Amino acid sequence: MTLVMGILNVTPDSFSDGGRWASTDAAIAHALELTAQGADVIDVGGESTRPGAARVTPADEQSRVVPVITELARLGVVVSVDTLNSSTALAAAAAGATIINDVSGGLADPAMASVAAGTGLTYIAMHWRGHAQEMDALADYGNVVTDVRDELATRVAELEAAGVSRDKIVLDPGLGFSKRSWHNWQLLAHLDAFDELGLPVMVGASRKRFLAELTGADAPVAARDLPTAVISVLAAQAGAWAVRVHDVVTTRRALAVLERVDSARMDP
């Protein structure tokens, strides 16, 4: 069954929710709401990775996420930390996070692989070519599907060489990161290409820019939740380990339809 990862941005500059959950109390309350709505995991991030976003220091990032992770873990919530920084990943692990979600796949911080190996946490390695300020200029591919697959295979080899257990690695094709709009659709159309890597895959399409083609550029970002839910179903059909979403309710309903159809197919 595909897991639903609820996004919790503890940042003042998120593209999708604009700092609504930037305070510790608001973030914890929203995380509990997402959990009640059906999120299996809460992904807590303290640094925006939207195109053009400014970097924050690890100290500032940790001041945002560690208190939230500590309380959620105390309450029994499964927590992932969304970070590029090894020191933040280590602090989050100490606070009770059980998953490291690194959008750079270990490329942004050379010490990340050793932290992933040392903590033994599940490690999500996303396809990445550069930081937010430069990512759009790096969207140059011969064949985006094979290029992303091969670059992820290289990351896996390097992570394993650094001591990260293969059974702890999850891959993310990195929709929206150094990808032009059509690249994202091509990756979604060929998720099965990642099967040959033999590792679980997470899909994170939620509210991303390429979905504005379907809703209109002037529509609020929440209008992208329905297309996101459809993509979640397609990802689940392709065998995705998890989908990462802002709107848990719509995605859960969409996945419930798929589950009913699959059940009916098994028991005509």
Side-chain angles (χ1 to χ4, degrees):
M1 180 180 296
T2 299
L3 301 176
V4 175
M5 180 179 284
I7 298 169
L8 180 61
N9 293 312
V10 193
T11 59
D13 58 344
S14 167
F15 80 94
S16 64
D17 41 32
R20 293 177 65 191
W21 325 117
S23 76
T24 298
D25 288 347
I28 292 168
H30 186 54
L32 295 177
E33 179 183 24
L34 293 174
T35 301
Q37 291 169 350
D40 301 293
V41 181
I42 300 298
D43 192 40
V44 182
E47 177 179 6
S48 176
T49 52
R50 62 178 171 80
R55 299 297 314 276
V56 303
T57 67
D60 285 344
E61 180 187 35
Q62 290 162 37
S63 72
R64 295 171 179 176
V65 303
V66 170
V68 176
I69 292 170
T70 299
E71 180 61 11
L72 292 178
R74 186 188 71 80
L75 294 171
V77 176
V78 179
V79 180
S80 169
V81 61
D82 178 3
T83 185
L84 297 159
N85 299 304
S86 61
S87 61
T88 300
L90 192 59
T98 58
I99 300 169
I100 301 167
N101 181 19
D102 178 2
V103 300
S104 82
L107 290 170
D109 185 340
M112 183 65 90
S114 63
V115 168
T119 60
L121 300 188
T122 295
Y123 180 73
I124 302 172
M126 195 191 80
H127 177 263
W128 186 85
R129 287 184 166 182
H131 286 289
Q133 300 92 330
E134 60 183 347
M135 70 167 74
D136 285 348
L138 301 172
D140 184 22
Y141 300 91
N143 179 303
V144 68
V145 176
T146 57
D147 289 354
V148 169
R149 182 198 62 202
D150 293 348
E151 289 172 33
L152 282 174
T154 298
R155 296 306 312 131
V156 171
E158 293 181 0
L159 289 166
E160 287 189 281
V164 181
S165 177
R166 186 176 180 83
D167 64 3
K168 294 294 185 179
I169 300 173
V170 175
L171 302 178
D172 180 343
L175 300 178
F177 287 79
S178 297
K179 314 288 190 307
R180 303 193 193 284
S181 178
W182 184 239
H183 293 148
N184 299 304
W185 296 116
Q186 289 177 309
L187 288 165
L188 287 169
H190 298 284
L191 287 174
D192 58 338
F194 299 94
D195 292 347
E196 65 187 75
L197 298 180
L199 291 169
V201 173
M202 184 178 78
V203 174
S206 189
R207 296 184 178 176
K208 290 189 174 175
R209 288 181 298 172
F210 73 100
L211 298 180
E213 298 171 5
L214 306 176
T215 63
D218 295 331
V221 291
R224 303 174 193 176
D225 289 338
L226 179 56
T228 297
V230 175
I231 289 171
S232 294
V233 170
L234 295 173
Q237 288 179 315
W241 171 80
V243 291
R244 182 179 181 272
V245 301
H246 295 85
D247 178 6
V248 170
V249 170
T250 304
T251 286
R252 270 290 173 213
R253 288 174 179 165
L255 290 176
V257 172
L258 177 61
E259 290 168 8
R260 292 293 180 92
V261 172
D262 285 344
S263 294
R265 186 177 292 115
M266 295 292 292
D267 183 22

